[in-house]
């Protein structure tokens, strides 16, 4: 956290594009392991019946950060420059990191192990043998592929006629992330109460309904569709990520890292491939691709039935 915050501040001093890219690459490297460690910490420290809600709160923090970062950086860029925007985000992150270090309770259930490359590789591949984990990894891949595709290209759709919105207005559309703040926690609670195997497919169906709604030409209906899609995405991600922590029999951080690797691979692959769909068929092409990803993820979620170790009382 400290390293990524300092690098964020340093990127504000970048004198050219190449230095900016290098700074962002280094920042990505420092951040890469954070979500896996955070998910493993929750999986080890939070009791099973409350894990869904706890993971939902964590994911809601992601949604608030994603929304705030885009809005704050946009405002700072408009009033000052992108240099000041990056440095401002870095300072906020640095202060948050210090607060986090002071407030975080010490781990009570972590069991340290000696680092051995051979045993590490063995435990890594053994994760794929755990029933259900591969399904969750695949769902993470499909979820993020659809999410990034929508947010990558909806801006182009709204800037173009007949909407012709400004960059500033399009940037504020990210405020719909706030529904993800609510859904990740609320749907996580429902998953704790009624079972993940029931709430996860429901979340994916909501996501599917939202992306289909964005095909409507009315701007407000389209924005509602984005909000519904975002609701379903953050709910699905929250439930799937908490489920990984429950199914993993050992090395929970490693299992979480594999989930996140698939998750971000989906971001890279989906975000790139959907560009071709947008180029060939405009927004309906992107929607068609996300619909396909959603339908496949719903089908996979039904294969997880019976693998939820937490039962509703």
């Amino acid at each position: 956290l400290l390293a990524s915050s300092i690098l964020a501040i340093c990127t504000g001093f970048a004198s050219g594009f190449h230095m900016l890219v290098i700074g962002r690459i280094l920042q990505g490297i420092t951040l890469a392991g954070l979500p896996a460690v955070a998910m493993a910490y929750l999986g080890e420290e939070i009791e099973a019946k409350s894990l869904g809600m706890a993971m939902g709160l964590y994911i809601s923090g992601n949604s608030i950060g994603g929304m705030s970062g885009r809005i704050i950086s946009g405002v700072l860029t408009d009033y000052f420059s992108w240099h000041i925007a990056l440095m401002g985000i870095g300072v906020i992150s640095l202060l948050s990191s210090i607060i986090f270090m002071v407030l975080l309770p010490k781990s009570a259930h972590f069991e340290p192990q000696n680092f051995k490359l051979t045993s590490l590789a063995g435990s890594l591949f053994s994760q794929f043998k755990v029933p259900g984990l591969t399904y969750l990894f695949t769902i993470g891949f499909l979820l993020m592929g659809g999410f990034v595709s929508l947010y990558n290209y909806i801006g182009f759709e709204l800037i173009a006629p007949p909407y012709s919105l400004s960059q500033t207005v399009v940037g504020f559309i990210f405020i719909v992330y706030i529904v993800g703040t609510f859904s990740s926690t609320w749907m996580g609670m429902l998953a704790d109460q009624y079972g993940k195997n029931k709430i996860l497919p429901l979340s994916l169906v909501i996501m599917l309904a939202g992306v289909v709604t964005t095909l409507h030409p009315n701007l407000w209906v389209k924005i509602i569709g984005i909000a519904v899609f975002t609701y379903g995405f953050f709910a699905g991600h929250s439930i799937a990520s908490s489920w990984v922590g429950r199914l993993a029999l050992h090395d929970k951080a490693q299992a979480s890292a594999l989930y996140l690797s698939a998750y971000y691979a989906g971001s890279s692959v989906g975000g790139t491939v959907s560009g071709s769909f947008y180029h060939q068929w405009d927004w309906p092409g992107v929607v068609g691709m996300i619909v396909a990803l959603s339908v496949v993820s719903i089908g996979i979620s039904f294969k997880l039935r019976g693998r939820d170790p937490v039962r509703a009382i």
Side-chain angles (χ1 to χ4, degrees):
L1 283 171
L2 291 173
S4 63
S5 301
I6 293 171
L7 283 168
I9 296 172
C10 291
T11 55
F13 293 96
S15 57
F17 179 71
H18 294 294
M19 290 300 298
L20 176 63
V21 171
I22 291 172
R24 296 294 282 180
I25 289 173
L26 293 174
Q27 191 178 6
I29 291 172
T30 60
L31 281 172
L34 172 64
V37 176
M39 288 167 58
Y41 177 89
L42 291 175
E44 291 172 347
E45 303 302 317
I46 304 297
E47 60 182 348
K49 66 179 182 180
S50 302
L51 181 58
M53 179 182 178
M55 194 67 73
L57 287 169
Y58 168 70
I59 300 300
S60 72
N62 284 342
S63 66
I64 293 172
M67 176 185 69
S68 302
R70 286 169 171 84
I71 293 175
I72 293 172
S73 61
V75 172
L76 289 176
T77 299
D78 275 342
Y79 281 94
F80 301 100
S81 68
W82 66 265
H83 298 274
I84 298 297
L86 289 179
M87 285 188 280
I89 295 297
V91 169
I92 293 172
S93 300
L94 183 60
L95 293 174
S96 300
S97 300
I98 294 172
I99 294 172
F100 172 79
M101 292 171 65
V102 172
L103 297 180
L104 183 70
K106 291 184 178 180
S107 176
H109 302 286
F110 173 70
E111 297 179 2
Q113 302 177 24
N114 295 326
F115 176 78
K116 293 182 180 179
L117 187 60
T118 53
S119 60
L120 181 67
S123 64
L124 180 70
F125 287 107
S126 69
Q127 299 287 0
F128 293 97
K129 298 178 182 179
V130 178
L133 277 184
T134 303
Y135 292 147
L136 290 171
F137 298 158
T138 305
I139 288 175
F141 178 91
L142 298 172
L143 273 173
M144 192 58 167
F147 183 75
V148 168
S149 297
L150 184 139
Y151 276 99
N152 270 5
Y153 298 102
I154 191 64
F156 294 105
E157 176 75 1
L158 297 179
I159 289 171
Y163 309 108
S164 302
L165 301 181
S166 67
Q167 288 280 5
T168 301
V169 173
V170 170
F172 268 92
I173 288 177
F174 283 100
I175 204 167
V176 300
Y177 267 40
I178 201 166
V179 303
T181 304
F182 171 76
S183 72
S184 57
T185 304
W186 175 251
M187 298 295 276
M189 290 174 59
L190 292 180
D192 287 336
Q193 184 176 359
Y194 297 106
K196 297 176 178 62
N197 55 356
K198 295 180 181 178
I199 305 302
L200 178 58
L202 174 62
S203 301
L204 300 176
V205 169
I206 292 172
M207 185 175 167
L208 173 62
V211 71
V212 171
T213 304
T214 65
L215 288 172
H216 198 282
N218 182 274
L219 176 60
W220 289 108
V221 174
K222 194 179 290 286
I223 292 174
I224 290 172
I226 297 171
V228 172
F229 173 87
T230 304
Y231 183 102
F233 166 78
F234 278 105
H237 174 41
S238 172
I239 296 168
S241 56
S242 66
W243 208 340
V244 169
R246 290 293 299 147
L247 288 183
L249 302 176
H250 58 83
D251 299 299
K252 292 182 183 292
Q254 195 177 64
S256 297
L258 285 171
Y259 171 81
L260 290 167
S261 294
Y263 180 79
Y264 288 116
S267 169
S268 299
V269 175
T272 302
V273 173
S274 56
S276 299
F277 279 82
Y278 186 76
H279 179 72
Q280 292 292 330
W281 298 289
D282 297 318
W283 183 245
V286 176
V287 171
M289 174 184 155
I290 299 174
V291 165
L293 296 179
S294 301
V295 170
V296 173
S297 64
I298 292 169
I300 294 174
S301 71
F302 286 115
K303 292 182 174 291
L304 286 162
R305 290 187 177 275
R307 302 193 188 278
D308 187 358
V310 181
R311 297 297 179 208
I313 298 176

